[in-house]
Structures are given as C-alpha cells and as structure tokens.
Amino acid sequence: MTLVGPIWRATVLTLFPEMFPGPLGVSLAGKALASGLWALEARDIRDSATDRHRSVDDTPAGGGPGMVLRADVLAAAIDAADCGPDRPEDRPRLLMSPRGRPLTQSQVVELAAGPGPLVVCGRFEGVDQRVIAARGLQEVSIGDYVLSGGEIAAMALIDACVRLLPGVMGKLSSGADESFSDGLLEYPQYTRPQEFEGQPIPEILVSGDHAKVAAWRLAEAEALTKARRPDLWAAKNSRQKQPKNTTKG
Ligand code: ADE
C-alpha cells in the first residue's frame, strides 16, 4: 500500500510513559505500529518540571484532598511536544478525564481521519483549569466510571482510531457492519460447531439465503439496541424522522 503524507501519530503526555505502548504494542495495533502504519510517542510530563525535585503537582487551591497537576509544567510539556515540522499545530489536543464529553464512534472516525491527536493523561485530583483553557484541551471521557489515571483511557481512544487507519484491518471488513456504525449494536454471531451444548446455530444463518440472513441480522440488531441501549435507539429514530433537506442550490 502506498501512503501519502505524514503517518498518523499519537503523542501521549503522561507521568508513566513506561505504560506505553502496552496493549497497543500487540495484535492489530501492534503489528501496524511495527510496520510503520502509525506512530506512537509517549512523553514524560516530568521532563518539563523545572524545580530541584522535578515536581509536577501541588495541593489544590482552596483546600481538599489529593494533588493537582501544575499548569506551568503541563503547558511546557505541551509546548515541547507541539514544536517541530512534523507536528502541525492544528492537531487535536485532548485531555482524558471522567469530566469530559463521552467519546463516540463518530469522534473516533474524525480523529482517525486527521493527523493524530496529542493526548494528555490526567492523574491526581485533576489538572489546573488554566492550562486546559490556555492550551485548548478538549476533555474526553471513555465512560461514567473513574480510572486511576488517563493512560488506559488514552489507550482505548488510540486503539479505536488505529483500527480504522488504512491498511490496519487488512482483509477484515472495513467495520461497516459493526456496532455503532449505523447507530445499532451488532447482531449476534455464530460459528462451528453446528451444535454447542444442545444449541444449534439459528437455521436461517445456514440456509444460504442472503436476503433472509440480512433481514434476520437487522431485526436482531434492532431488538438488541432497543433492549440494551434505549438512548441509541431513540437517537437513531429521531435522526430518521428528521425531514430531508429540501433547500435548492
Ligand atoms: N481518567 C479517569 N477516568 C477516566 C474516564 N472515565 N475517561 C477518561 N479519562 C479518565
């Protein structure tokens, strides 16, 4: 495959660079990383500390538990990561945080189509608000639960992007059928053996009738989405009810 332009690059700012590539170094993402289909740069925020103790955090203004990542140290780390000709300024700058907007597949598609993000991993009680504003960090959450830091969330985000990059999925489908691509959860899958603990594969799937298989899969996907994700089901229905844009010209 011929690739044009600079490769997709994820730059991660973290206090634990040794956590990377971690799971991103194996399987689909790992093979693609090794073959140069994408690049990963994990940078230590502590390298931007300036005092004798290389401190990166301090107690929260106004009191309270825990420690807050310092604005000056994180700003210096972002500035150092952003410079250089192969690092265009307009890369998305993300901050992994349970306070962020929930990550969606459409945002993943958008990120995968761009140059690749700068991803800041939060730790401690949070990050000084002033650096979030001053460096235009977009806060992103991977779910309504609290991890001990942003690293695992960053890996989830990067993995979701990397599998969409050209050449990464190889002969596998482009992901057109999978959960969320059409606002539906994915239909159930079966493979050999034909019977497992007394349960056969649904008859229709072995009938060879492609139209019937497609209709069955759609019905299953819809039933699953209604039952498990009424939010997705409602969103899909309201999109479909919207009148078509009739504006001419
Ligand atoms: N850091 C801690 N919890 C997180 C979450 N749920 N999403 C993103 N970053 C996080």
Side-chain angles (χ1 to χ4, degrees), residues 8-192:
W8 194 90
R9 173 190 301 267
T11 300
V12 179
L13 298 188
T14 170
L15 289 165
F16 301 97
E18 66 277 15
M19 285 175 79
F20 292 85
L24 296 171
V26 296
S27 189
L28 213 62
K31 279 190 200 126
L33 184 60
S35 62
L37 288 173
W38 68 289
L40 175 66
E41 182 190 21
R43 300 174 66 106
D44 195 341
I45 295 171
R46 201 173 292 279
D47 289 346
S48 296
T50 51
D51 66 351
R52 222 158 38 92
H53 305 288
R54 300 185 81 212
S55 54
V56 292
D57 58 336
D58 213 325
T59 52
M67 301 292 269
V68 176
L69 207 52
R70 287 170 55 140
D72 54 347
V73 175
L74 184 53
I78 293 169
D79 296 347
D82 253 353
C83 65
D86 59 335
R87 302 188 179 111
E89 287 271 330
D90 60 358
R91 296 171 71 193
R93 293 174 179 184
L94 313 178
L95 168 62
M96 303 316 296
S97 155
R99 281 193 349 178
R101 289 219 168 84
L103 182 66
T104 61
Q105 186 65 16
S106 61
Q107 193 183 355
V108 167
V109 168
E110 210 173 289
L111 285 169
L118 175 91
V119 187
V120 178
C121 301
R123 280 265 156 184
F124 315 109
E125 292 309 303
V127 172
D128 189 307
Q129 187 62 35
R130 293 168 296 179
V131 70
I132 297 176
R135 293 298 179 273
L137 300 180
Q138 199 187 323
E139 291 181 76
V140 178
S141 164
I142 62 157
D144 290 340
Y145 41 79
V146 182
L147 302 167
S148 51
E151 286 77 8
I152 290 172
M155 288 174 197
L157 178 141
I158 294 166
D159 180 82
C161 292
V162 164
R163 58 187 289 284
L164 299 181
L165 299 176
V168 172
M169 295 263 273
K171 283 213 187 76
L172 298 173
S173 100
S174 63
D177 257 10
E178 67 194 9
S179 288
F180 305 121
S181 62
D182 187 31
L184 292 174
L185 300 183
E186 203 189 351
Y187 48 80
Q189 297 277 18
Y190 300 84
T191 188
R192 278 194 290 252

Side-chain angles (χ1 to χ4, degrees), residues 204-229:
I204 225 159
L205 297 180
V206 289
S207 68
D209 185 331
H210 298 303
K212 277 197 180 145
V213 168
W216 181 88
R217 285 179 166 168
L218 179 62
E220 289 287 319
E222 288 181 349
L224 208 62
T225 309
K226 265 188 236 177
R228 290 190 187 166
R229 294 294 302 272

